[in-house]
């Protein structure tokens, strides 16, 4: 996807000749190359510099060191984007970016000053072909071959064939609760740290969410605390596999069995994740996935609902289509909804499913590289795999130590100013006035509060290794700066 040259494609060593440099410039298409000596930047050479040198009588086999311009401009890695843009306006075509040891870590040009996105959909497989097929054939609504194909491919991948494609992940949660008969008077245990959808879905059906704190390591619901939140009105629990890390499903299922609770797994962020070698979504009575644009696979908007019991899928299928009887047209057995997925969405989904394994492996590769880069950085906690799990690392999310938490928003702003798009962890539900009525009394949610000081780093499957290094150097420098500030203040 990224046709912009990598750092390696921009560099020659100090032993190179003018001929070598011209070859590199010819291939990188940037009109210049960098001269590197053991990773240290020692010069910048443009095609114009070489042309002038040849006219002055230098030979193609002369060393680049005879020509290189040592008054070149370079900028330190945490230079704000605005300053970089200002320099580029001074007719400097290309600016190398260096770290404190003067090691080349990146470069910018007028057409490309590095913006590293948090996440980006990858749509360069068969997406266009299948969508075009929908349009040419006229099957653009919710009938057509792709919806069934998508449900089938998805079911095979996850290992549960009771799948139902719906218009988004939030309605999948609503439909799960309605199908399982949860309603007014019922309590449903939900994690305090989550994207809002599962809590809202409980409120849609007139039931009462009960907010329970999460675990520090997995960031998912704390089962010990959930035990204490069970009352005689508790009907269900919704574990959320946050950022791709599976919840403690042994704990969830034991609790559910003991108190006869229904389990609805929110797997929106966990496609590809496994708990004890089983894909998430196979433990609960129901499970949902989301295909919003930033999820591991996308259909633009979209969702999938899965049930353990195939009877439920028949009921949910009716509810998805206004509650209409399968046998009798325009005869309604339930007050239903229109929660159907379109053939166009499903066409994208089929193309995405062709590459899902590649996407998940890439997310794990990203996590591995972040870990290598960040493991010696003080005052941050890295995500990992806690228990017998396989994490699909939807977003690589680090947590700042408490001493730095007051600087979290400034660190986020500085990262964004440096072209590194990051985002804060979700707000704990209990702090928002609309959800504070669902607090467990006497509970202060210390873990959710402290994890909320987290930052999700760029986790796009398109991210390159040098982008990861750049994210890490910018972050490392900022953390040092803020740590010093904190020490000065105290
Ligand atoms: C994305 C997400 C959903 C569902 O989102 P939709 O945008 O409605 O598809 C539900 N739960 C969690 C935890 C999510 O991250």
């Amino acid at each position: 996807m990224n046709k912009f040259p990598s750092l390696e494609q921009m560099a020659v060593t100090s032993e190179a000749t003018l001929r070598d440099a011209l070859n590199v410039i010819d291939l990188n298409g940037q009109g210049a190359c960098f001269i590197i000596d053991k990773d240290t930047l020692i010069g910048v050479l443009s095609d114009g510099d070489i042309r002038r040198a040849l006219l002055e009588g230098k030979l193609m086999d002369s060393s680049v060191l005879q020509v290189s311009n040592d008054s070149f401009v370079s900028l330190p890695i945490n230079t704000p984007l605005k300053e970089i843009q200002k320099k580029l306006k001074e007719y400097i075509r290309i600016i190398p970016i260096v770290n404190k040891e003067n090691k080349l870590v990146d470069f910018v040009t007028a057409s490309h000053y590095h913006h590293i996105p948090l996440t980006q959909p990858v749509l360069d497989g068969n997406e266009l072909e299948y969508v075009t097929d929908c349009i040419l054939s006229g099957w653009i609504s919710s009938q057509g071959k792709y919806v069934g194909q998508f449900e089938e491919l998805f079911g095979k991948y996850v290992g549960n064939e009771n799948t139902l494609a719906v218009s988004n992940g939030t309605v999948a949660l609503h439909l799960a609760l309605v199908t399982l008969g949860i309603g007014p008077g019922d309590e449903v245990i939900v994690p305090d740290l989550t994207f809002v959808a599962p809590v809202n879905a409980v409120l849609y059906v007139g039931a009462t969410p009960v907010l329970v704190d999460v675990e520090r390591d997995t960031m998912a619901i704390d089962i010990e605390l959930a035990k204490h939140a069970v009352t005689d009105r508790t009907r269900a629990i919704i574990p959320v596999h946050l950022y791709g890390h599976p919840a403690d499903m042994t704990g969830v299922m034991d609790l559910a069995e003991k108190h006869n609770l229904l389990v609805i797994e929110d797997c929106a962020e966990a496609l590809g994740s496994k708990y004890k070698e089983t894909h998430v979504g196979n433990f609960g009575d129901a499970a949902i996935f989301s295909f919003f644009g930033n999820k591991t696979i996308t259909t633009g908007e979209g969702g999938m609902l899965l049930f353990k019991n195939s009877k439920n899928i028949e009921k949910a299928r009716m509810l998805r289509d206004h509650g209409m009887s399968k046998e009798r047209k325009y005869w309604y057995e339930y007050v239903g909804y229109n929660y159907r997925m379109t053939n166009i969405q499903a066409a994208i989904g089929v193309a995405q499913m062709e590459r899902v394994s590649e996407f998940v492996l890439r997310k794990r590769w990203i996590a591995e590289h972040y870990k290598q880069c960040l493991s010696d950085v003080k005052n941050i906690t890295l995500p990992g795999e806690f228990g017998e799990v396989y994490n699909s690392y939807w977003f690589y999310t680090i947590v700042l130590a408490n001493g730095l938490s007051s600087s979290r928003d400034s660190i986020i702003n500085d990262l964004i100013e440096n072209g590194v798009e990051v985002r804060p962890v979700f707000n704990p539900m209990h702090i928002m006035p609309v959800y504070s009525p669902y607090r467990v009394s006497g509970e202060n949610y210390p873990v959710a509060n402290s994890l909320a000081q987290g930052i999700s780093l760029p986790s796009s499957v398109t991210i390159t290794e040098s982008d990861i290094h750049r994210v890490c150097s910018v972050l490392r420098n900022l953390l040092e700066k803020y740590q010093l500030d904190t020490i000065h203040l105290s």
Side-chain angles (χ1 to χ4, degrees), residues 168-170 173 194-195 197-198 240 266 268-269 288 290 292 295 301-302:
N168 61 61
T170 305
L173 282 161
T194 175
F195 178 65
V240 177
D266 184 335
E269 302 179 1
I288 73 97
S290 162
F292 182 66
K295 296 287 159 68
E301 295 276 358

Side-chain angles (χ1 to χ4, degrees), residues 158-164 176 179-180 237 239 249-250 252-254 256-257 261-265 267 278-289 304-316:
V158 171
N160 177 349
E161 60 191 21
N162 297 321
T163 49
L164 196 69
T179 306
L180 294 174
I237 178 169
M249 288 313 293
T250 305
V252 170
M253 298 316 292
D254 286 352
E257 196 176 339
L261 308 180
L262 293 159
V263 177
I264 299 154
E265 285 178 76
C267 312
T278 298
H279 198 291
V280 294
N282 285 292
F283 297 89
D285 300 278
I288 73 97
F289 290 82
M304 193 70 78
L305 173 57
L306 290 83
F307 285 102
K308 192 174 267 174
N309 182 331
S310 59
K311 276 210 194 87
N312 285 325
I313 208 89
E314 290 319 315
K315 181 174 174 189

